[in-house]
Each structure stands twice: as structure tokens, then as C-alpha cells.
Amino acid sequence: MFEPALSVLLQTQVPNVHEFRITNIFKPLASPAAAERTAAYLVLAITAVIFVVVAGLICYTIVRFRRRPGDNELQEPPQVYGSNQIEAAWTVIPILIVFVLIGVSARVIAAIQNASPPPQSVKILLVGHQWWWEVRYPDYGLVTANEIHVPVSSDGKHATYLQLTSADVIHSFWVPQLAGKTDLIPNRINYTWIDPRQPGVYVGNCAEYCGTQHANMLLRVIAESSEEFNAWMSAQRKPANNSDTQLSAAQTVFGSLSCVNCHMIRGTSAIGAFGPDLTHLMSRQTLGAGVLVNNTENLRAWVNDPQIPKPGCLMPSMKLTGPELNQVISYLQSLK
Amino acid sequence: MAAIDYPLQRPKAEPGEFSFSETLYKWVATVDHKRLGLMYVASALIFLIVAGIMATVMRVQLMFPNGHVVGPDTFNRLFTMHGTSMVFLVGMPMVAGFANYLVPLMIGARDMAFPRLNSFGFWIFLLGGLLLYYSYLGGGGLSGDGSAPDVGWFAYAPLTERGFSRGHSSDYWALGVLVSGFGSIASAINVIATTFCMRCPGMTLKRMPMFVWVMLIDSWLIVVALPPLSAAQVMLLLDRYLGANFFNTQNGGSAVLWQHYFWIFGHPEVYILIFPAFAILSEVIPIFSRKPLFGRPAMVAAVVAIGFISLGVWAHHMFAVGMTSWSNTFFAASSMLVGIPTGIKIFNWTATMYGGRLRFTTALLFCCGFLFQFLLAGLTGIMLAVAPFDWQLHDSYFVVAHFHFTLVGGLVFGLFAGMYYWFPKAIGKMLDETLGKWHFWLFCIGFNLTFIPLHFAGMLGMPRRIYTYAPGRGWELWNFVATIGVFFQIAGILFFIYNVLRSTLRGQPATDDPWDGWTLEWATSSPPPEYNFEKLPVVRSSRPLWDLKHPQDPDWKWE
């Protein structure tokens, strides 16, 4: 009910692509999340029954044995010290329930963790940074950021396998409708996999506190058909388009600024590795790891002072002059 | 023949008036377990209010999407200080405070085994707390980087290493917690020695009050579980100042190692925190049901079992760090096992009330609130123990809701029950029951209004520790309701503070035994004299005052 008044900042609906913004863990759209939901439903059912029975007993006891005005205050109720049979009963029944739950957990854990990648699966190396995601496709030699494109796996046979690690502190990969969490830990490689069943944009968050801008370390998984994925991949693998002579002045300005120390734009002198690769910046839906929709106005606001939309982020305000800012924006907008 | 030999003339509290400085000196220099106990509880209450205000600011920030009440740095410091304070400066001193005040009285001793160690424990705990809060002033260091710690209460490496935590904030966090941990260990050793060596004649372990039993196990857990944390804090300081690189991943250290150290302390810690509530319920429920605790041996066995199992479940906090499927299965299984003895406890408390004649004082109301809320907390705990479910719930608001249900819905409700029950003994005045009921209902409604919705926010994918969130993800309603609940809780706490102040100053004087109790603390005056008992009592059962009051049907006949 507060949405209309407050949802000014983020209207990230992309035409023709369904965006799954309500990240309900009970509406899974990939195998790991679906297996987790199955286990969850079973646990919820069992615990709901336990809650109703035990809470009912407590309620009954409270109502039935409350002190009433007519009670004889001097008469103590019968002093009952315990009963071994009753103790045995309420020890054995929980033990049986626990064994069922252990069995279910073991099966689902093995099903998710011990799945082996099919030969045609896409492999991704996801590297966490404060506070953005570096997405590497080693088989394709591609590096991008914050938005993970994967082929849709409507038959369940085109899973994407992710190797997870971190460049600085611990982060955690969590796209609730695709898979539960797996941490990105420095000096360590973790694994997880996803097989989105429907095309669309799946929203996720970093789920391990990682410093100042943990809240705005958002993640998008974009699942698309094999053809679309391949088309996207071949477009992304091309270096930046530098042929436009009208932009050579803008490119020169950009190259003269310290942007190039942190950002990579393939095919130019910008070979920084600290920040996200910008080679095809305009093909992305968001800026600043999901904090702003990628449009001219927001791009300008971001480059002018990233500390306003994302205070504390590691990109400083570059204090560009007006003309410099115009040149940089027009150059960045050419990075399609 | 009388079942018990008591001093029939109760000792009178010493008369005389003291100037302010004399009074101050008497409190500061005291080694009396009762004064130290009260000082522990009082300082814990002050930290509770401070940390509660921090929680309020956070909830106001999250009430609406894109909140701008505080910035990210301030918010991150708030949740770090809130969590650290609540665990180390509220929960732990409450354990020590209740144990200090009540254990010697309940076992018929004149003081703790080591009174001066006791005093040391309190003051070093307070020093630790002040060190932690001094970080707001000194955390910046010479370079001016940082203020209070902003690394979360479990301070995962490598976020605490020099590369990511400049200034001194993480140093204050490590030192404050380390130092206050010394206090907790000292107090735990003292409780163990006291219960083993200072029991009055006739009080065998079998006859020891349930409260003392639980506090004994609690103290063992503290002695076993806190040193790994202290070790980890020292290792962290070595990393930060001497380049030890235990946890410094930039130089080949292990981030997961810190998590193992932390949680091998951290999981027993949550049982350390909840045990005092178990201890209080096991005394309050029987008195207001007018029945002995149902299944006493099973209750002792359950506490011992929880203590042992809790040492083998720590990695259920780490299901997402990429352990093997075998490890995940092992820790899922061991975590679920805790549910069995915990269930036994809830069943036995209910069975104690069953067939009794329940007198709904404020203390018993808080116990009933505990039973429902702790039941829910236990069941959400089972959900979190199922590792595949936990992969979704871990580090989400569901976890926040779960552990607030255990620690507020459980521990804090238990502590309030204990305060309403023992306040007459400690202060000599009754707490007002009408104000108490306002306190209970407002706090109970507010608590549930705050924390039930947060379960749903978590299941909709809301991660914890985010200072803001965008609209449109289905979290708005739950966060809004949660914040409304906070205001009810604040109203409840205000009633409590008013009640304590008003009753202390001009409350109805308490008799020595206002609740018709059965344990030894009700056999001395309210408040008890410094030496507790003029003549040490001799007991013959676990309910010595029952024996005295019912000579025709004493408990010892049934032993």
C-alpha cells in the first residue's frame, strides 16, 4: 500500500522480459530452489502440527487450571512429582520425528550438493567485490559485471555452474527463486548451480554482511533462450566500438581521466581491474550493482557523484567539470 | 519431628544511616554476592535500554523503503553495537547477576566461594562494556578512520582485518568483548565452586533447586565455550598488530577459521543465554501452579543433554560456507537433536501447570508468554537446522526473527518473570501488579507484532543487515508492521521502568515470603542481611520450605 508513493527510484521493468522481483522462496523457478522448497514444505507441515498440538495443550492447561474465585486457598492441589512413562513418551516421539527430518535433509543436501555438471553446461566464475559482482565466463574469455546472463534450462538439462570466490571480504550468492545461499570467500572456491526454468530477470542480494554498502550489492540473473544467450555472448565478446569519429574527442577526455585506472574498456587504453568492466556498459539494466536503473539521467548522476546514490562505495566523486562530464557521459553511452 | 532446622528469629537488616559517599563506598568496595548481583542486573538493564534505543533507530530506518533516517555507516555501527551489547553486556551480566544473587541464598550459603573474584568479575565486565562504548570517541584513532565497530556482532574475518577495518574500531570490539569475557569466566568458575562446595547440610545434588542446577550447567558451558572466543580475539589482535595472518586472507589466512572459532563459542553461547530463563521458569512455574516441578530428574538430564549437544552443532551457522555434504548432514542432524531435550523441557513445564491451581501473577504471565514464544522459536530452529531450508533462510530476516524469538521472546520474558518474582526479596518492596500487567501485555503484543512479520520478510528474500531496501519487493508491509510493534514494546518497557522506580521508592513492603515459596531464599528476611542466614539451614528435600509448612506431608517422605 506504500508502493505508489515510494517507488519513485526504482522502476526497473524491462520491456518484454519478465522481472521476478518478489523473491519468494516458495515460488522456485530452478531445481535447487525447488528441492529446498520440498524440504521446507515437509518441515513446515511437521512443525505446524507440533505447534498446534503443544500450543493447544498449553492453552488448555492455562484455561482449565486457572485459579477461580471459589477455590479453597488453603488446599494445595495434588503434588505430582512426575511420571516415567509420560517422560518416555515425549522423548521417543520427538526422536522419531527428528530421524525423519534427518533423512530428508540428507537426501536433499546430497541431491543439491553432489549434482555433477552436464557436459553442455555454461561455467561461470563469480568474484565478489565490495560492493559489486565480477562475472567471468572462462570458456568464452568474457568478463562482465553485476548481471549474470545464463541460458534458460526449461528441460532441466542446461544448468549453469558457478564457481564462487571473493577478491576482498566474504559475500554470499543468493537468488532466492533459483538457489539458496553459497558464500563467496576469499582464498577459497565454492560451487553452486542454477537452472532457471523460465526466461526472465531474477533478482538477488548479497546475503553476507560485507561492509558499508552491503545493502546495495544487488544481483540480477538474466535467463534467456540459447539463441539469445549466444547472440548476447558474441556481442559482449567484441571490443568496444571506437570507430565513431564524432566521439574521438570524448574518448580522449575519458582516457585522460583517472577512470582508466580502475575500469576496463576492451580495445582502449583503459585497462583497470579494480572496478567493473565497462566495455558494454549500455547493455546493462542497472548501474552501481543494482542501485540505479541504467538511463542517461542516472548515469550522469552516478558519474557526477556516486557517493550520493551509494554512499561509501569505493568509486570516489571524480569532481569532473561540466564539459568533462558531458564528454564522459557521451562516451560511456557509446559503449553499447 | 520437624523436617528442618531453621533460625526462628529472622535476622534484622542492620540499622543506621549513611552519607552519600559512605553508601557509594559500600557499593563500590563490596564483595557481597547480593550487591554484586544487583549491580550486574542494574548495569545490564542500562545496557538493555541503550541497545534497545539503537534497535529502535534501526527499525525506524527500515519502516519504509529508501529510509533516510541514518546513513549506511551509522546503521552498520548500530546493528554491530546492538548485537554485541545485547549478547555480551545484557545477556551475560544477567546470567551472572541472577546466579550471583540467588545461588548462595538457594543453597543456604553465606556468600559465593570467592567473593573477591566475584567483585573482580563485575568490575572487569563493566570495564569491557565501557571500552566497547568508548570506541564512539576513540575508534577513529589518529587517522580519524571509523568510529564504533561496524563489522557485525560476529565480526567475520577478513572484514575485521586492517585492510578493511581501519582505525581502532575493531580493536575496541575485540578488547571490549575479550575483557568482559574474563568477567564471565570468573563468575562462572565462582558459581561452579559455590555449588560444589558451599551447599548447606543436607543439600545433596539431588535436592539442589532446579535454578541452581541450570546455573551450574550454564557455568560449565561458559567455562568450556568462552575461551575459544577469547583465543580468537587474541589471534585477531595479533593479526592486526603483529602481522600474524591467522584470518588475513590477503596474506593466505583463512576466513572460515574465524567462523569455526567464533561459532564453537557462539552456539553454546545462545544456550548460555537462554539457560537463565530455563532456571527462572523452573522456579516460578511450580510456585504459581502450587505443584512441584514435573519430572525433575528429566529436567536436569535435559539441561545436561542440551549442554553437551550444544558443543557439537556450531557449524549449522555455516551451512553456506561450502562444507562437504557429509559435514552439512552431520551438523543438520546434531542441531535437530537439540530439539529433543528442549521439547522435554517445554512438556515438563506444561505438565507442572497441568493439574495445578494457576495464580496469574505478572511473573507467571511472563512464563506463559515464554512458553508460546519459545515453542515457536524452537520450531523455527528446527527449520533452520534442515540445511537445505537453511540455505534459503540463512542470513535473512527469518533468522533475525528466529533468534529474537529465542532471546527476547524467551530470555527477556524469562528475565522479567524472574524480576517480578524476586524483586520483593531483593528490594523488600512488592512490584505493582497492575503496572506489571500493563507491562506484560504491551510488551507481549509489541514483541509479536515486531518479530512475527519479520519471518515473512525473510521468506520473501530480505537479507539481514541491510540499511535500506528498494520498494516493490514485497517487504514494505512486513517492515512497517514490525516498526509499529516497536512502539508497543517501548510503552511496555516504560511501564516497567516506572514500576521499578515507583515500587522501590514507595511500594508496598514485602514480607519475607510473599509468594508462599519453597526454596531457602524465602526463609530469610527481605532483603536478606549480608550474612544471609543467621544459622545455616539443614534441608531434607528439594523443597525445604514445603516440608516446614506441611509437616504432615513433607517431600522427604517421597525421596
Side-chain angles (χ1 to χ4, degrees), chain B residues 423 427-431 497-509:
Chain B
F423 187 87
I427 308 295
K429 303 279 178 66
M430 304 297 289
L431 276 177
I497 295 170
Y498 175 65
N499 196 356
V500 168
L501 295 178
R502 184 175 170 277
S503 304
T504 308
L505 295 176
R506 47 191 180 89
Q508 181 199 344

Side-chain angles (χ1 to χ4, degrees), chain B residues 413-477:
Chain B
F413 271 64
L415 291 173
F416 280 135
M419 286 180 207
Y420 278 89
Y421 182 67
W422 280 296
F423 187 87
K425 176 54 62 185
I427 308 295
K429 303 279 178 66
M430 304 297 289
L431 276 177
D432 188 272
E433 281 288 306
T434 313
L435 291 174
K437 275 164 193 162
W438 276 97
H439 168 203
F440 169 75
W441 285 111
L442 285 169
F443 194 68
C444 188
I445 291 168
F447 164 75
N448 284 288
L449 214 50
T450 300
F451 290 106
I452 289 176
L454 294 184
H455 289 103
F456 298 107
M459 292 195 280
L460 290 172
M462 182 169 174
R464 66 195 282 201
R465 296 174 163 178
I466 54 173
Y467 78 98
T468 189
Y469 55 95
R473 297 192 61 180
W475 306 339
E476 291 93 335
L477 177 66

Side-chain angles (χ1 to χ4, degrees), chain A residues 2-21:
Chain A
F2 308 100
E3 277 177 46
L6 293 155
S7 61
V8 264
L9 250 178
L10 259 183
Q11 280 300 331
T12 50
Q13 206 72 350
V14 178
N16 305 325
V17 185
H18 184 68
E19 195 184 52
F20 298 98
R21 272 184 83 69

Side-chain angles (χ1 to χ4, degrees), chain A residues 34-46:
Chain A
E36 284 153 9
R37 180 184 65 172
T38 310
Y41 274 162
L42 183 86
V43 188
L44 279 172
I46 292 176

